[in-house]
Amino acid sequence: MHRKLPPLTHLTGRSAASASASSPQPSRLPPPVPLRDLLAHRLPNSRSPSPPTPHPHADILLLLRRRGDVTSPERLHVELVKRGLHHDLFLANHLVNFYAKGARLAAARRVFDEMPERNAVSWTCLVSGYVLQGLADEAFRVFHAMLQEADPGCRPTSFTFGTVLRACQDGGPNRLGFATQVHGLVSKTEYASNSTVCNALISMYGSCAVGPPILAQRVFDGAPVRDLITWNALMSVYAKKGDVISTFTLFMDMQRDDNRIQLQPTEHTFGSLITAASLSSCGSCVLDQVFVRVRSNLAVLVTSTWVVLCLKERNAVTLNGLMVGLIKQHSGEESVAIFVGTRDSVVVNADTYVVLLSAIAEYSVSEEGLRKGREVHGHMLRTGITDMKIAVSNGLVNMYAKCGTIEDASKVFQIMKARDRISWNTIISALDQSDYCEEAIMHYCLMRQGCISPSNFAAISGLSSCAGLRLLVAGQQVHCDAVKWGLDLDTSVSNALVKMYLECGAMSECWKVFSSMNEHDEVSWNSMMGVMASSQAPISETVEVFSNMMKGGWTPNKVTFVNLLAALSPLSVLELGKQVHAVVLKHGVTEDNAVDNALISCYAKSGETDSCEHLFSKMSSRRDAVSWNSMISGYIYNGNLQEAMDCVWLMVHTGQIMDCCTFSIILNACASVAALERGMEIHAFGIKSHLESDVVVESALVDMYSKCGRVDYASKVFNSMTQRNEFSWNSMISGYARHGLGSKALEIFEEMQRSREIPDHVTFVSVLSACSHAGLVERGLEYFEMMRQHRIPPQIEHYSCVIDLLGRAGKLDRIKEYIQRMPMKPNALIWRTVLVACRQSKDGAKIDLGREASRKLLEIEPQNPVNYVLASNFHAATGMWEDTAKARAAMRQATVKKEAGRSWVTLNDGVHTFIAGDRSHPNTKEIYEKLNFLIQSIRNAGYVPLTEYALYDLEEENKEELLSYHSEKLAIDIEYGALQILRNDELEA
């Protein structure tokens, strides 16, 4: 009977994060239900009035155990189905417990859902399985459903309550409200005085309650029976709070307890003592007094040395406990020192070396830890300790990985004679964290081929590696594994899934995973804000995600605000940016560089340079390279190149080192406005900063010089490059193509192919453009077909280049063929290209094609003034003056206006800007006189103006005059005049 468990809502209160895969495991989780208790058909600590009676089918389990068929739950499951016993309550409980112990939670849940009847054992086994795997939220849902069962045989037991409370302990303060309700339920049952439940309550309140452990102490005082675990639990609580006095007082009281049970300290006891001493804020003098007091009361157990090191009968358990306590306080060096100082007087075991390797992995200086680790490894090889336990080899793999030598970790893993789940988790995590993503995925596949079920750690590391390599298909396969084994119920695994799909560009899958999550934590919300930024989602969706996070009770942190501002920056919404800034101030996330840098970028995109400057000035003492680059980018985005250059000058003179990002930003800005002189200044800065050999800077230089008209300089930089990336090749190819040097562009492309650099879609746009300028029609079409060999699907830009190629060659009959071949609908770019290609044709069919292009263009983009001008020019070029007038009238009716074309020239005294027929320049009279002189001179030399490019119905003389005062000719004239003045000055000198 399949029954869906209801969600846990009224018990949990506010949504809280589930125990993540990275959270520490509980110090002492209740073990899964043992076989002997299942055979007796009861739970531990159950109050049975008479001795347990073995179940009638217990002999079947014992027989299967002797045959070895219970070594895996699948074999047991198959055997029970074959015998028709899979619906037996006792055997089904055993199967659920067996699956849960092996982290096979999905299988355990299926068996549980199919059980015709259930008892407390059934529910507790499933709850315990989820808790053991860190899936607290799912465990709470099952527990809630258990409480709703009307059958008295399904009431929670002490073991159930202890397991649930341990899960609350792992959740920390966020679980206190729920844990308090569980305590209320316990107080109404006979388990209120049960030692297992009391111990769990003490540990839970110690972890969940903030401040002095009053509640934990209250439970301890009310416990009718205090065993060693009870004392250790409260001592651990006080120790973690740094209360040395209370910790050692409890230690002494434990020795004086009148309990008939002899309470001998264990490694957990001494671990608490060391933890208390490590966390204490009191001085060494006070600590000495505490130790003196302890020694005076414990003469039987304590000698004159440290209380935590001086038991009369020292053994490996004591030493291991002391070392573990120090490791928990990140004191690996001290833990190793204790081992070195006591190894001659204590007989150590394999567990000691496991702890020792963990201590070495915590060394603050990895090189020192590596040296010490290799010494220990050599000793273990000589004494044969490495073959005693798998845990020893696992410790070696972990130690080498954390000390930064993943190669040694892999070697140890390869020679291991036996591997368990921890072995695979350790090597996969180590490879992923060391950026060996391919090897991590390969080991994950090998683990699955070995029929070893993945854990949360393996799934998270596998997904992280898939994200690093952008392997969507592999990530989907890991996702399938996570669903199969129930790992996707863990919040940390779901967060890793969101990140993987984000890195692979599958934005819709990010939303699906996020929406299906049972619980969200800060990482979940921050990841979704990152998705919004990467996908440039609409404002409403971005604000909705942020608003839902706030409504859920989560406090945004700096990562939240950085992602939110990154999502808003491209949208340039000033008022929304100001509101986010106010929320930043409200939550006190100020004085943080990352947030301030994001705010500068957001304000810059909104045109608020004053706000950018205000924030930037407040960061005077903590500016980093990102701050400077954000400010410079803001100036450039708003067209303030001079202010950007001043900021660069200030950056240099304040001692801030310019990085490759700074150079590329400025060089791209210089390229966009053809500011050659400024670009050359930055080039000089790059040489002084020793960044001229950086591939990013050199590629930006190639692009800048080619766009500023100095393709010869671009060629020199390109040829001097020792390393090239795809941007370098693309910049040089497009530079030659832009200047009409199609043959040179194609030579560079052929060289690119010989160097085995893989071209991308940008490369082919430049190549097709070069073929178009050079008139190489057939060769261009060959390159277009070559794209498919490189698995690059042609985009709209490539079809536009092909149409331009055919149009320049006059092959307008083939243009329709390629338009029909397009897998996408033609856009404005395609129709503009067709319209320009048809402008010089007198053929009636070609004129019809041009008319169709004109009509389509005005339908698609009726508000773009360029389209009206192109349509008007087309009609004028073909002599259809009435249609020309209609196009210009339509432009006026559409209330759009084309910005006049500008030409500018940079001289010593600044930048001079002109438009056609411009007379606003202060030296207009001299400029026009010089221009008329130059025009007359070139006419005498044989120049004849091409009046057909004056697309107006005017007399020839008027057309010549219109062409004479073009903005470019005015700019050239003033530059020519300046050169003449310079030459005259040189002659006079």
Side-chain angles (χ1 to χ4, degrees), residues 267 270-271 274 308-309 317-326 338:
E267 65 270 22
F270 293 114
I274 291 180
V308 294
L309 293 175
V317 175
T318 305
L319 177 60
N320 296 349
L322 295 174
M323 294 174 65
V324 168
L326 287 169
I338 289 178

Side-chain angles (χ1 to χ4, degrees), residues 135-153:
L135 303 176
D137 292 315
E138 194 61 28
F140 294 156
R141 287 186 178 83
V142 176
F143 177 66
H144 178 232
M146 182 180 183
L147 296 177
Q148 293 180 331
E149 285 289 328
D151 187 357

Side-chain angles (χ1 to χ4, degrees), residues 747-758:
E747 287 178 13
I748 297 296
F749 178 64
E750 297 294 340
E751 183 183 349
M752 177 183 183
Q753 290 186 303
R754 287 193 297 271
S755 65
R756 296 184 179 179
E757 182 73 33
I758 300 175

